[in-house]
Amino acid sequence: MKNSNDSLGLTIATALLGAGMAFSSSIAIVGLGSGAASAQELQPRAATAKLPPVNDGLPMPGFEITPANTAIVITDPQNDFLSPDGVTWGVVGQSITENGTVENLDALFAVAERVDMPVFVSPHYYFQHDHEWHFEGTLETLMHSIGMFDRPHALSLDGFEGSGADWLESYKPYFEREEVVVTSPHKVYGPDSNDLALQLRKAGIDKVILGGMSSNLCTESHMRSLIEAGFEVMVVTDATAGAITAHYDGYAASLTNFRMIASAVDNTENTVRAIEAAFGM
């Protein structure tokens, strides 16, 4: 029998209050309604932004939220991605709107505040010297050409307030919490060029609930890098979004990789409920 402390370790795959459960090929299948899962809910389903996968032929390792060593990591919650006035809105706006990304990131910040859960924010900034690189990848070239995340200098906040590099205005109150750590900026896509992994390790964190922008670029790169560094990672699928162009869907590309690589994928609603349950709320 589990004691009360054990009950704090809840798995995204099994922690939903009142969830029904069935098993097929050693894979836990969770019904999202109350009571037993219906036949319709047990039909095979790939992961989507709003729904976790069901019987999709892949293992479901699950993700145990243990308050002592689990944190939320948010990539690039900045105006150039999330504001209609941002320089990328023309390509990311559709995905952000469909996923409810702005609201869902707010929900993650809010639940972390309610339960005193640590949040680590990995921002993206470009300083003047970054524009003098001798080579760039495809979207690096684009970001530099449109002035995305630009700041004049690493030691200056001149022009930062309200700029594309600034936080979305509605998120700013959350940054006043001591439990919110803003890392040094990453420079390409992943945390390999900043101190996120160091900050997580120094805080005793080895389990990460991941969201933010942009899904197939910084968010996916953070997932991959953190997993390679020995962290356990789940991705909140509707707390991210990607660029959609005439020929490419960045969000669809990332969703496949989230499902195939992370320990778990789930939506914001289920994740918030599991966090509250893990912290005894």
Side-chain angles (χ1 to χ4, degrees):
M1 179 179 295
K2 292 186 177 181
N3 61 32
S4 59
N5 289 331
D6 292 334
S7 69
L8 293 178
L10 297 175
T11 304
I12 289 294
T14 61
L16 304 183
L17 303 177
M21 188 183 305
F23 293 88
S24 175
S25 303
S26 301
I27 297 174
I29 308 300
V30 178
L32 300 182
S34 60
S38 68
Q40 182 177 5
E41 288 169 336
L42 295 179
Q43 291 301 310
R45 178 182 72 213
T48 69
K50 294 294 183 182
L51 294 172
V54 170
N55 232 9
D56 63 353
L58 298 176
M60 295 184 180
F63 183 94
E64 188 179 16
I65 299 174
T66 47
N69 62 337
T70 306
I72 294 172
V73 170
I74 305 296
T75 58
D76 301 352
Q78 295 163 267
N79 286 327
D80 269 342
F81 270 137
L82 295 172
S83 169
D85 296 325
V87 295
T88 66
W89 187 259
V91 291
V92 300
Q94 176 185 342
S95 184
I96 288 171
T97 301
E98 290 176 352
N99 292 357
T101 307
V102 170
E103 297 81 6
N104 291 326
L105 287 173
D106 188 276
L108 292 179
F109 278 121
V111 72
E113 183 173 67
R114 288 197 299 277
V115 303
D116 287 329
M117 187 177 193
V119 175
F120 293 77
V121 176
S122 179
H124 207 146
Y125 299 134
Y126 286 128
F127 307 125
Q128 188 57 46
H129 55 261
D130 297 322
H131 288 274
E132 298 177 13
W133 292 349
H134 288 196
F135 61 92
E136 302 162 344
T138 302
L139 290 185
E140 288 177 83
T141 301
L142 174 62
M143 287 189 289
H144 286 174
S145 69
I146 61 179
M148 190 173 181
F149 300 135
D150 270 0
R151 285 176 51 188
H153 194 275
L155 302 180
S156 172
L157 287 175
D158 288 347
F160 178 73
E161 182 74 24
S163 71
D166 195 3
W167 316 124
L168 199 69
E169 191 68 27
S170 60
Y171 298 161
K172 289 184 178 180
Y174 298 120
F175 283 78
E176 298 174 3
R177 293 177 59 230
E178 291 183 1
E179 293 82 2
V180 175
V181 175
V182 178
T183 72
S184 59
H186 57 271
K187 289 297 180 175
V188 185
Y189 304 119
D192 311 79
S193 56
N194 76 359
D195 65 340
L196 174 63
L198 172 68
Q199 296 294 344
L200 290 169
R201 294 292 191 203
K202 290 291 190 179
I205 301 298
D206 54 32
K207 301 166 75 75
V208 167
I209 297 171
L210 180 64
M213 292 295 291
S214 164
S215 63
N216 63 312
L217 300 173
C218 299
T219 314
E220 182 177 328
S221 292
H222 276 65
M223 174 193 72
R224 290 175 178 271
S225 182
L226 290 172
I227 289 172
E228 294 281 2
F231 292 88
E232 185 177 355
V233 180
M234 74 153 290
V235 179
V236 187
T237 48
D238 56 357
T240 183
I244 299 175
T245 71
H247 301 289
Y248 299 102
D249 186 332
Y251 180 75
S254 65
L255 186 61
T256 295
N257 292 329
F258 293 153
R259 175 64 181 104
M260 289 187 171
I261 297 173
S263 293
V265 294
D266 211 329
N267 60 40
T268 300
E269 181 181 2
N270 292 344
T271 302
V272 166
R273 289 168 63 190
I275 290 170
E276 290 175 335
F279 281 81
M281 294 185 64

